[in-house]
Amino acid sequence: MTTPTLGPGHTRDDYYALPDDGLRYELLEGEITVVPAPSYDHQRMSAELHMALHAARPEGLVVLAAPFDVELEVTSVVQPDLMVVGRHVPEQRGLMEPPLLVVEILSPSGRGRDQVRKKRLYERAGVPSYWIVDPEVPSLTAWELRDGRYEVAALVSGDEEWIARAPYAVRIVPAELYA
């Protein structure tokens, strides 16, 4: 299934002028995309990961869940599934600088968008850590920004355990995200 798009050639001004019609939109490199509602498995994994990130976070950091705008550039405003930011950073409407961590949970309609386009955007914007969770496996792939490029920091699936170091220490076991 393809998601409807508006354009290329749009900017954040077009994005912020969209009607409050109950739909979720993202602006990816000038293209406005309608983002479908997430699946049950997606939401389960998101909730479990949110709780794990929240429980392990150091003082001064906060874990946020979609929908919440992150303006990466004038032609890209996204709504990551989860993100970690400094408590002082967000504005009420959205985030105007890169989060410390972005997590995207794959869905059938968004696989390419998350694995290619958003990864490229997050890397270009300087997001230090980017994780993709795949509910179908279940698995987690983590990238860390090194010298301006993403390098794989972890690839774990099923009952494999990974202790993240960035943005802070947190234990992740993909199978446990189905709790």
Side-chain angles (χ1 to χ4, degrees):
M1 174 177 125
T2 29
T3 54
T5 61
L6 304 173
H10 294 283
T11 68
R12 66 178 165 227
D13 294 335
D14 302 314
Y15 174 82
Y16 291 124
L18 289 168
D20 186 7
D21 57 8
L23 296 176
R24 208 171 127 202
Y25 297 94
E26 288 187 312
L27 174 64
L28 299 175
E29 299 172 314
E31 185 177 87
I32 296 173
T33 304
V34 178
V35 181
S39 69
Y40 175 73
D41 285 343
H42 178 287
Q43 292 300 81
R44 270 180 40 201
M45 292 186 92
S46 179
E48 291 296 324
L49 189 52
H50 190 283
M51 289 188 297
L53 287 166
H54 179 79
R57 82 194 188 316
E59 189 173 329
L61 298 182
V62 65
V63 181
L64 299 173
F68 192 74
D69 288 337
V70 177
E71 189 175 312
L72 298 173
E73 54 194 28
V74 72
T75 59
S76 297
V77 181
V78 296
Q79 295 185 358
D81 292 315
L82 295 169
M83 69 187 102
V84 173
V85 299
R87 188 173 301 279
H88 67 285
V89 173
E91 297 180 19
Q92 287 303 309
R93 171 116 177 137
L95 188 63
M96 306 305 284
E97 63 184 64
L100 300 172
L101 166 67
V102 166
V103 179
E104 296 287 1
I105 300 169
L106 296 180
S107 61
S109 66
R111 292 181 90 77
R113 182 176 61 241
D114 292 342
Q115 292 173 318
V116 178
R117 291 182 79 186
K118 283 187 166 182
K119 182 178 174 237
R120 179 177 59 232
L121 282 170
Y122 295 142
E123 182 179 68
R124 191 166 62 221
V127 174
S129 297
Y130 179 44
W131 300 356
I132 289 182
V133 177
D134 188 345
E136 289 183 10
V137 175
S139 67
L140 179 140
T141 305
W143 290 272
E144 290 181 5
L145 199 61
R146 296 187 184 121
D147 297 321
R149 305 286 301 166
Y150 277 140
E151 292 183 18
V152 174
L155 176 54
V156 291
S157 62
D159 292 325
E160 294 176 315
E161 176 184 87
W162 176 57
I163 308 288
R165 305 254 183 263
Y168 50 86
V170 60
R171 177 184 172 274
I172 305 294
V173 178
E176 292 177 2
L177 299 177
Y178 270 111

